[in-house]
Amino acid sequence: MTFTNRLRVIFRSKASRTLDRLEDPREALDDSYEQLVRMLQDVRLGLAEVATAKKRLELQGQEMGARHQRLADQAESALNQGREDLARTALERRSLLEGQVAALRDQYTLLQKQQGQLQDNERRLAERVAAFRTEKESIKASYAASQAQVKANEAAAGLGSQMSEVGVSLDRAKDRIAQMQARAAATDELLASGALTDLTAPPDADLERQLSAGATSADVERQLRAMKDARASRQGRPAGSRGTGPDAWLSIGNGPDTP
């Protein structure tokens, strides 16, 4: 595999993993769930604002109701004192207040209706969020199990992006080993032929190496001649005992090793 092909395989595997992360349905489900939760929070915030406004109107209406009763008492007290002018003024103010109370009551009724609608929406949306959360976790668990199974199957079959990278690394290691072995063999041949000089070797090491090789060759030739001579001398004579005792090894290399 060439270097360009290796880069192509690695890039393809990394790009595939990036796309898998972008297309992960678990992230899409989490995003949808967060949107629903934000919607539920907005509905609850609106419900709290409506309830607050309704409570304000309720307190204002209670104050106006107390004033309405106080004006009635003042009109009756003025009439008992013979002050019809004051009684008339109190009744006029009371009549004007009744119109304000009517307008306030309409607003209060409208807010009460809105609050009821928001409460229904909040309850339905909360149920939907809870159901979606349950389904989301179930789908995520199923996806995780399927993903684990796919990875296990790909690993068993030697497939998948990670296994591709492992294969690329293995091929690269094999190439490097082959190159180093070839280089070692080549340098050995060059050293043996004298084309390269070992700078760390002692002086005249090449001569010592060649002399040693020649000595070994001469020793082999000597043993071969001794074997031939011993064989010729044994022809026609009964075979004698050979040095096969427990101490026979002590004589190895000290004399001709004849079979």
Side-chain angles (χ1 to χ4, degrees):
M1 180 179 291
T2 64
F3 181 72
T4 304
N5 292 333
R6 291 172 182 165
L7 288 179
R8 187 179 296 109
V9 171
I10 295 174
F11 178 77
R12 189 185 303 114
S13 63
K14 292 184 179 297
S16 177
R17 286 203 302 271
T18 302
L19 291 176
D20 289 340
R21 286 196 296 268
L22 293 176
E23 297 176 356
D24 194 340
R26 294 173 295 184
E27 295 183 1
L29 289 173
D30 288 336
D31 292 341
S32 300
Y33 177 73
E34 291 178 0
Q35 292 178 2
L36 288 176
V37 171
R38 285 194 295 268
M39 291 173 60
L40 181 60
Q41 292 175 349
D42 292 340
V43 171
R44 288 174 175 172
L45 180 61
L47 181 60
E49 292 177 351
V50 170
T52 301
K54 191 185 76 167
K55 189 62 178 179
R56 251 191 333 261
L57 292 180
E58 183 179 351
L59 294 176
Q60 187 177 356
Q62 292 175 359
E63 292 178 0
M64 296 174 70
R67 184 187 176 196
H68 185 269
Q69 182 62 40
R70 186 169 58 252
L71 288 173
D73 296 340
Q74 289 175 352
E76 185 176 358
S77 177
L79 188 60
N80 291 335
Q81 295 177 13
R83 297 291 304 274
E84 293 185 1
D85 56 335
L86 293 179
R88 186 178 291 105
T89 300
L91 292 175
E92 289 176 353
R93 293 180 180 179
R94 188 169 183 264
S95 178
L96 180 62
L97 184 61
E98 289 176 354
Q100 295 176 355
V101 170
L104 185 65
R105 185 170 53 248
D106 292 340
Q107 294 179 5
Y108 181 83
T109 302
L110 179 61
L111 288 179
Q112 191 173 20
K113 182 178 179 181
Q114 290 179 353
Q115 182 180 3
Q117 292 175 349
L118 286 175
Q119 286 176 344
D120 292 339
N121 293 335
E122 189 273 340
R123 182 177 60 257
R124 287 194 297 268
L125 186 56
E127 293 175 354
R128 181 181 178 186
V129 170
F132 183 83
R133 182 178 183 276
T134 301
E135 186 175 4
K136 172 180 72 73
E137 294 301 327
S138 176
I139 293 176
K140 288 175 63 176
S142 299
Y143 180 83
S146 301
Q147 188 180 45
Q149 184 177 3
V150 168
K151 289 183 178 180
N153 293 340
E154 288 181 349
L159 302 175
S161 57
Q162 294 181 352
M163 296 304 296
S164 298
E165 293 183 4
V166 170
V168 171
S169 301
L170 184 61
D171 291 340
R172 187 184 302 112
K174 290 180 179 179
D175 290 344
R176 293 291 297 170
I177 292 173
Q179 291 176 3
M180 295 303 295
Q181 290 177 343
R183 185 173 180 181
T187 52
D188 285 342
E189 292 180 358
L190 292 175
L191 285 173
S193 64
L196 289 181
T197 302
D198 186 2
L199 299 179
T200 62
D204 304 325
D206 56 337
L207 295 177
E208 291 293 336
R209 185 170 57 253
Q210 294 180 19
L211 290 174
S212 176
T216 300
S217 178
D219 186 65
V220 170
E221 293 296 330
R222 179 184 60 79
Q223 293 184 29
L224 183 60
R225 285 196 303 271
M227 290 173 62
K228 290 180 178 179
D229 295 341
R231 189 179 218 183
S233 63
R234 284 200 310 267
Q235 288 181 356
R237 292 185 305 172
S241 60
R242 298 172 57 188
T244 59
D247 297 331
W249 63 272
L250 294 174
S251 62
I252 294 177
N254 294 328
D257 186 11
T258 59

